[in-house]
Amino acid sequence: AQSVAQPEDQVNVAEGNPLTVKCTYSVSGNPYLFWYVQYPNRGLQFLLKYITGDNLVKGSYGFEAEFNKSQTSFHLKKPSALVSDSALYFCAVRDIQQGNNRLAFGKGNQVVVIP
Amino acid sequence: NAGVTQTPKFQVLKTGQSMTLQCAQDMNHNSMYWYRQDPGMGLRLIYYSASEGTTDKGEVPNGYNVSRLNKREFSLRLESAAPSQTSVYFCASSVGGATDTQYFGPGTRLTVL
């Protein structure tokens, strides 16, 4: 079964510094990978996804993520963090070989950007 | 274009009471999903509907039932609420392909006393 690990509960970063949120995945076949962000008392918002092709994916709000098949990782990055980036970030994976559209979500990472 | 809407936003139930959470989407999506979000556990899939007229169990279906009323609407019913069902419930929808993106509603915060 597909699964995602987000090893850190909280990521603290100073405003203006690079932000990285880590994600590793486990699937039996090739993965489709997604990042979502959740602001307080809101639903999840789609940031970006990797389907195939270029390993570096660019998404909304200046975020990007790099797919690394050998390390089974899909870390989310932003070159310069803003206070408004403080939120809960979820990584999710879909296993192509499962033959369904179900997503497996990680437990989420709380990002705190310090002014 | 409202996207995915959910009602109610908040609800408090007593143990044993029943209720239905409503979800509707106006994006002409084929697939719809119900998740629950609990602290430290991420989102877990309760039920999903790949297309109108079909429903399937997800990871945590016990204690819930669903109805895909039409292409737009997908409801979640708790027949006899339990404190373990205290959670935030999210509905999502997608076009239905393997590469598609799920779009989420604002959530319903449910407390069972």
Side-chain angles (χ1 to χ4, degrees):
Chain A
Q2 63 246 38
S3 66
V4 164
Q6 294 182 248
E8 300 162 313
D9 289 334
Q10 183 164 311
V11 174
N12 296 324
V13 61
E15 186 176 23
N17 281 3
L19 170 63
T20 298
V21 188
K22 295 180 180 178
C23 171
T24 58
Y25 65 89
S26 174
V27 296
S28 55
N30 290 319
Y32 294 146
L33 293 153
F34 300 77
W35 275 102
Y36 286 84
V37 60
Q38 184 182 30
Y39 298 102
N41 301 312
R42 304 286 295 275
L44 277 69
Q45 295 180 30
F46 170 72
L47 278 178
L48 51 81
K49 65 181 177 183
Y50 170 81
I51 302 301
T52 187
D54 194 345
N55 289 341
L56 184 63
V57 180
K58 294 187 184 297
S60 306
Y61 312 122
F63 284 94
E64 58 187 30
E66 186 166 12
F67 172 63
N68 188 317
K69 188 171 184 177
S70 63
Q71 297 186 1
T72 62
S73 67
F74 189 56
H75 301 331
L76 182 70
K77 299 180 181 182
K78 186 172 184 179
S80 178
L82 301 172
V83 172
S84 57
D85 294 328
S86 298
L88 190 56
Y89 291 80
F90 290 96
C91 182
V93 67
R94 179 182 293 138
D95 188 343
I96 299 169
Q97 290 191 337
Q98 289 288 317
N100 59 51
N101 292 337
R102 293 168 60 168
L103 278 177
F105 283 85
K107 63 178 174 58
N109 282 125
Q110 184 68 50
V111 169
V112 177
V113 181
I114 303 163
Chain B
N1 189 335
V4 180
T5 57
Q6 293 182 237
T7 55
K9 286 187 169 54
F10 302 94
Q11 184 71 49
V12 178
L13 293 178
K14 295 181 179 179
T15 297
Q17 288 185 316
S18 62
M19 78 161 296
T20 299
L21 281 65
Q22 306 286 354
C23 174
Q25 52 90 9
D26 62 1
M27 296 177 282
N28 200 34
H29 284 169
N30 294 307
S31 300
M32 298 186 73
Y33 312 82
W34 276 105
Y35 292 90
R36 59 178 289 173
Q37 182 182 23
D38 301 292
M41 301 190 73
L43 274 76
R44 293 181 292 168
L45 183 65
I46 304 171
Y47 270 94
Y48 68 103
S49 171
S51 61
E52 186 179 357
T54 68
T55 59
D56 286 287
K57 295 178 180 178
E59 186 182 353
V60 288
N62 291 344
Y64 305 95
N65 284 301
V66 291
S67 295
R68 183 74 183 266
L69 304 170
N70 47 55
K71 191 171 186 178
R72 290 187 64 248
E73 298 172 290
F74 188 39
S75 63
L76 178 72
R77 183 160 178 83
L78 287 70
E79 291 290 352
S80 179
S84 61
Q85 295 178 304
T86 294
S87 187
V88 181
Y89 291 85
F90 289 101
C91 178
S93 71
S94 68
V95 171
T99 63
D100 68 346
T101 299
Q102 292 183 18
Y103 294 91
F104 285 78
T108 294
R109 188 173 295 274
L110 175 66
T111 301
V112 183
L113 303 175

